[in-house]
Amino acid sequence: MNINIGNFKIIITENYEEMSKKASDMVISQVIIKPDSNLGLATGGTPVGMYKEIIRNYELDRVDFSKVKSFNLDEYYPISRDNNQSYTYYMNTNLFNHINILKENIHIPNSETNNVIEECENYDKMMEDCGGIDLQILGIGNNGHIGFNEPDTYFEARTHLADLNKETIEANSRYFEKKEDVPKKALSMGIGSIMKAKKIVLLASGESKAKAVEKMIFGKIEPGVPASILQLHEDVIIILDKEAASLIINKK
Ligand code: PGA
């Protein structure tokens, strides 16, 4: 089912697999139409199925990533890039090792830097110098965050060192052995950086995201719900499974 609410184009799918396929189709068509696209990529549990589907299409020779540049949304800080909890490791294992993107075209905030300010400024500059992000993939946190822009982050913020809040540490602890192991900080594109993307595709799956999705779409635009700022972006497609859409289906 497709619905439009405000600026949002919303696609409600039957399940996680269909959500992942639709999202993969959007990435693939972006790269076919503009082979030198700049892709903004996300990590977390939600896009894993989309990456699998992209790899499947790549193996069928339907898409070529040799001219694509990628910029990841965020990375824990500090963390060794070899650590299997780093987003560098995640991206290599879930996507980059399986497609023909060039190493020099991959950008992930440097989690090993001693100079955070310089790293963040460079990151924004690199995105600008290559013409900006053509297509940005986003997930959404249970608390409405995008990237690691937690509630009450300035909407203007560019790439910066962010503190993870309690809810995010709790949510991310499912990927770690112990909650104490979850990093407390991350380098993250800011809302200001994300809003510069020409097109945004946001994915959400599961009931735990339903409240955040409802607030993003129908709520007041406020820093307390970082994703609510997307109401002001002109080209956002939201792809949901039924569970994540459960609170908006009867409201439209
Ligand atoms: P998840 O994270 O995909 O692991 O649920 C999404 C997010 O926190 O942005």
Side-chain angles (χ1 to χ4, degrees):
M1 176 165 59
N2 292 5
I3 51 179
N4 291 340
I5 300 174
N7 279 343
F8 292 139
K9 293 185 197 70
I10 303 169
I11 303 175
I12 300 172
T13 60
E14 273 307 302
N15 51 36
Y16 179 79
E17 285 67 38
E18 195 191 343
M19 179 201 76
S20 303
K21 279 207 172 86
K22 292 250 187 268
S24 155
D25 286 350
M26 283 176 197
V27 173
I28 288 164
S29 52
Q30 171 69 40
V31 174
I32 290 174
I33 291 164
K34 184 171 184 275
D36 61 346
S37 286
N38 301 320
L39 300 180
L41 299 177
T43 52
T46 312
V48 169
M50 175 190 78
Y51 291 135
K52 281 207 174 86
E53 197 50 31
I54 291 174
I55 294 167
R56 196 179 69 80
N57 278 276
Y58 169 73
E59 286 170 350
L60 292 170
D61 247 347
R62 292 184 179 147
V63 57
D64 171 18
F65 289 92
S66 61
K67 296 196 181 74
V68 164
K69 290 194 175 74
S70 72
F71 290 88
N72 263 80
L73 263 181
D74 45 25
E75 173 63 287
Y76 290 126
Y77 181 85
I79 196 167
S80 151
R81 279 182 270 206
D82 299 330
N83 186 313
N84 63 9
Q85 292 288 1
S86 77
Y87 288 163
T88 304
Y89 186 91
Y90 170 108
M91 287 307 302
N92 287 338
T93 50
N94 283 298
L95 183 67
F96 297 147
N97 288 348
H98 309 281
I99 61 172
N100 66 337
I101 190 167
L102 302 180
K103 284 237 165 340
E104 61 266 33
N105 288 342
I106 294 171
H107 306 88
I108 300 179
N110 179 2
S111 53
E112 296 175 358
T113 186
N114 290 322
N115 193 337
V116 165
I117 292 178
E118 188 181 84
E119 172 62 22
C120 293
E121 283 175 3
N122 277 345
Y123 204 69
D124 282 320
K125 187 167 180 317
M126 278 190 300
M127 285 190 277
E128 266 158 38
D129 287 352
C130 70
I133 301 292
D134 294 297
L135 174 65
Q136 175 70 53
I137 300 294
L138 292 179
I140 182 169
N142 302 346
N143 62 4
H145 76 192
I146 45 177
F148 275 121
N149 295 284
E150 302 289 28
D152 299 323
T153 307
Y154 289 112
F155 279 154
E156 298 80 8
R158 309 299 305 275
T159 302
H160 62 287
L161 182 62
D163 290 310
L164 276 54
N165 79 4
K166 249 175 52 196
E167 284 162 304
T168 298
I169 291 172
E170 182 69 44
N172 286 10
S173 65
R174 68 193 195 276
Y175 303 121
F176 290 79
E177 253 176 53
K178 295 187 286 238
K179 195 155 109 188
E180 301 78 74
D181 295 341
V182 183
K184 309 283 180 295
K185 287 181 186 288
L187 298 168
S188 178
M189 279 190 205
I191 305 263
S193 325
I194 293 169
M195 287 295 280
K196 282 183 189 288
K198 295 177 191 124
K199 185 183 200 76
I200 294 175
V201 172
L202 182 143
L203 311 181
S205 158
E207 212 185 324
S208 66
K209 301 291 171 71
K211 193 81 208 150
V213 166
E214 182 192 24
K215 286 188 183 169
M216 162 176 69
I217 296 173
F218 292 104
K220 187 169 151 218
I221 300 170
E222 54 172 343
V225 184
S228 64
I229 189 74
L230 299 175
Q231 292 176 29
L232 299 179
H233 193 286
E234 287 186 350
D235 194 350
V236 181
I237 299 176
I238 299 173
I239 312 180
L240 306 171
D241 65 9
K242 274 196 309 218
E243 289 74 23
S246 56
L247 296 178
I248 64 159
I249 282 176
N250 297 321
K251 227 177 159 176
K252 52 174 170 81

